[in-house]
Amino acid sequence: MRGSARWLRRVPTLAAVLAGAALVVPSGSVHPTSISLTTIGTAKAAAGDDVTTGLTDAIQLIGVHLDTGRAVAIGLPRDLYVEMSDGRARLNTALRDEGPEGVAREVDDLLGIEPDVVAVTGFDGFLSMMGAVGDVQVDSPLAFTTEEGDVQVRRGPNTFDPDEALYYARTRETLPGGSDFERAANHQRLLLGVLERLREAEDEAGFMEAVTLSALGGLQTDMSPPQVYRLVQALTTVDPGRTDACIIVGTFGVENGASVVYPDVEQARAVGRDAQDDARLQGGCRDGSG
């Protein structure tokens, strides 16, 4: 059943999993044993700015199937050129121009998965959340130096503190290919590292409560504290070894003097259909990578 998206607004600081991110949770009527979260990285804003008015850097739709412990992450690069209410535009303008409900609508239009809860956060919220989570390990296939902070990312395992994780998530220009496709894949690797840390520490006294409080402290939401706590707990049911990841691809072009990516709509719809019911990609990413 379709309905308007509810959302969580920025107060002094907001918390989520990625810098400047929004969480989108599709209705339980889509599948009663699944949860999907969309993280949306926004452009850097000054202290006190409302991040819902900013541009987005990347979008990740993360589906979690509670019965099987499976999860899938679908990355939507910021330059995807999509149809919005006032005409076609880059996806990174959806939050600024159409608000959280517009973001939910664009995710639904592209992937066929309708979000109904959107929570918006900024950099301070990311650091707050990561401070509660603690250092995370990220396995990188790429070696590079972050644009900010001069973090030396090695091929293989890397351990990041909250600031280093933020620099890692923000970096694009110094990646080997300098692309948002690479950055979106790095976001997925960071999310996997956060998941592994949550599972590793969930039995430590007070850990899950601290993570929940770090999110609640900066969020205004119609979700009660117990509901947020259960949501965080639900993430720990995911087996890191039973996760799939995919980036929606397309062809490059120029519109109004700006670089854009015309999305492979066939791929996006197929991946969405594949992942919707069981949070897995049995048909693969369908991006030509094999």
Side-chain angles (χ1 to χ4, degrees):
M1 180 176 179
R2 299 177 67 90
S4 62
R6 294 172 294 141
W7 58 288
L8 315 182
R9 188 177 177 86
R10 183 178 188 272
V11 192
T13 58
L14 303 176
V17 181
L18 283 180
L23 266 73
V24 181
V25 184
S27 168
S29 64
V30 173
H31 196 295
T33 59
S34 67
I35 299 172
S36 294
L37 311 173
T38 296
T39 61
I40 304 172
T42 64
K44 188 172 184 178
D49 284 355
D50 183 349
V51 293
T52 65
T53 64
L55 300 176
T56 60
D57 282 342
I59 298 176
Q60 294 283 340
L61 179 70
I62 297 98
V64 177
H65 196 283
L66 303 178
D67 285 352
T68 63
R70 287 189 173 276
V72 61
I74 304 171
L76 306 177
R78 67 176 186 173
D79 289 343
L80 292 181
Y81 199 58
V82 298
E83 191 71 41
M84 293 199 279
S85 59
D86 293 331
R88 299 190 74 187
R90 295 197 302 183
L91 186 60
N92 72 333
T93 65
L95 184 64
R96 181 195 67 189
D97 295 345
E98 301 193 346
E101 290 191 0
V103 173
R105 187 167 54 249
E106 294 305 325
V107 171
D108 185 21
D109 287 348
L110 195 57
L111 297 176
I113 299 175
E114 181 186 11
D116 68 2
V117 176
V118 181
V120 184
T121 189
F123 288 179
D124 287 345
F126 169 79
L127 292 172
S128 173
M129 185 76 162
M130 292 301 296
V133 170
D135 292 356
V136 297
Q137 187 171 99
V138 175
D139 193 16
S140 175
L142 309 174
F144 61 94
T145 301
T146 61
E147 293 174 45
E148 299 176 86
D150 291 325
V151 178
Q152 302 295 317
V153 179
R154 305 182 306 273
R155 290 187 180 88
N158 298 263
T159 300
F160 298 141
D161 65 23
D163 287 309
E164 291 168 334
L166 177 59
Y167 299 142
Y168 173 82
R170 288 283 296 157
T171 293
R172 176 177 63 88
E173 292 184 1
T174 57
L175 295 174
S179 76
D180 280 317
F181 299 109
E182 290 172 310
R183 178 163 61 175
N186 280 349
H187 291 168
Q188 293 173 343
R189 296 177 187 113
L190 179 57
L191 287 166
L192 188 60
V194 170
L195 169 63
E196 291 172 341
R197 172 61 183 159
L198 288 175
R199 285 173 58 93
E200 172 189 281
E202 65 175 317
D203 293 330
E204 294 179 8
F207 175 77
M208 298 302 288
E209 291 80 1
V211 171
T212 302
L213 287 172
S214 73
L216 285 171
L219 294 174
Q220 178 182 329
T221 174
D222 57 2
M223 294 177 69
S224 68
Q227 287 174 322
V228 175
Y229 180 78
R230 286 194 293 271
L231 177 60
V232 174
Q233 284 283 160
L235 297 178
T236 66
T237 67
V238 176
D239 179 351
R242 293 166 67 84
T243 60
D244 293 322
C246 181
I247 308 296
I248 299 305
V249 297
T251 56
F252 292 98
V254 177
E255 295 284 345
N256 301 315
S259 297
V260 302
V261 175
Y262 304 111
D264 184 336
V265 175
E266 183 177 349
Q267 179 214 13
R269 299 280 169 77
V271 166
R273 285 193 302 269
D274 195 356
Q276 185 171 16
D277 289 335
D278 56 6
R280 61 187 300 195
L281 294 177
Q282 298 188 73
C285 191
R286 304 167 173 85
D287 61 353
S289 62

